[in-house]
Amino acid sequence: MTYCLFILLLIVEALELKSSAMSLSSLEWTTFVFLLAYIYNECHSLWSEGYRFYFSHQGHKTNAMTLVLFFLFFVLRFFGVHGNTAISVKVLRVSSYIVAAATIMACTRLYEYLRAHPRFGPIQKSLSKMLQETLFFLVILFIYLVAFGTAMTHIYGATRFAVNKTEAEAQDCPAKSFDG
């Protein structure tokens, strides 16, 4: 439930158009508090489960990367606000890119929660299988297109028949002797 509040807070913060201000807004401070609680929760999971088991789960890797990106955002935001004004605009721009990537990763973490839902879980699994089958089809289609393209190149390359060549340059062209 608190993770959904965190995602909702990120969405509301993204809708705020004054995000490039020179000071942290109240929503960003609230996000920072959520981030500290989130870091504490993940550190507790890391210590209780062990390092090897913690990073064997894909969701924990996503959480760790999201936390690193959010932490980097707040560090850059701090230096952008309190640093040199000549480079602070660039630092604030980079921090907004980082928070965008972190927000995307935080939202994709919701897929893990949907997988356990009795209705959305099987749908998500079937969509995953359909996407996998579509990718297999695209690989097979790509192989056939490459095969056809190379065959056509060899056929037209051997007869020296090309669209941009004139009749005088074309040799052994089947259409050369055609009297229509």
Side-chain angles (χ1 to χ4, degrees):
M1 182 64 177
T2 57
Y3 193 78
C4 292
L5 288 174
F6 180 67
I7 297 296
L8 186 63
L9 180 66
L10 291 175
I11 292 170
V12 170
E13 185 180 335
L15 293 176
E16 185 180 86
L17 297 176
K18 301 177 285 184
S19 63
S20 62
M22 292 303 287
S23 63
L24 291 174
S25 68
S26 61
L27 283 173
E28 289 173 334
W29 281 111
T30 309
T31 305
F32 185 69
V33 170
F34 266 95
L35 178 70
L36 290 177
Y38 195 29
I39 288 173
Y40 173 76
N41 187 21
E42 287 302 312
C43 287
H44 180 64
S45 295
L46 175 67
W47 286 314
S48 66
E49 295 175 6
Y51 179 79
R52 187 173 293 237
F53 181 75
Y54 179 83
F55 284 109
S56 67
H57 190 262
Q58 184 64 34
H60 291 308
K61 290 177 189 175
T62 305
N63 288 345
M65 190 63 180
T66 303
L67 290 175
V68 166
L69 286 175
F70 274 118
F71 185 74
L72 187 61
F73 160 72
F74 281 109
V75 168
L76 286 176
R77 188 65 186 236
F78 176 78
F79 286 122
V81 169
H82 298 295
N84 186 3
T85 58
I87 62 169
S88 65
V89 174
K90 292 180 182 178
V91 170
L92 288 174
R93 184 178 301 146
V94 169
S95 71
S96 66
Y97 297 153
I98 289 173
V99 79
T103 304
I104 289 171
M105 289 185 71
C107 288
T108 57
R109 182 70 172 109
L110 289 176
Y111 289 130
E112 292 291 323
Y113 297 121
L114 287 178
R115 194 175 290 165
H117 192 272
R119 178 107 172 137
F120 290 120
I123 292 173
Q124 186 179 5
K125 187 71 173 172
S126 66
L127 288 175
S128 171
K129 289 288 187 184
M130 285 176 19
L131 180 65
Q132 187 178 19
E133 294 295 325
T134 304
L135 289 176
F136 288 154
F137 171 75
L138 289 176
V139 166
I140 292 170
L141 180 66
F142 177 74
I143 291 171
Y144 277 112
L145 287 175
V146 168
F148 179 75
T150 55
M152 294 306 288
T153 303
H154 285 294
I155 289 171
Y156 287 132
T159 60
R160 297 188 171 269
F161 177 67
V163 177
N164 293 333
K165 295 200 176 204
T166 61
E167 287 183 19
E169 294 174 341
Q171 299 173 358
D172 299 329
C173 177
K176 187 175 182 181
S177 64
F178 183 69
D179 292 333

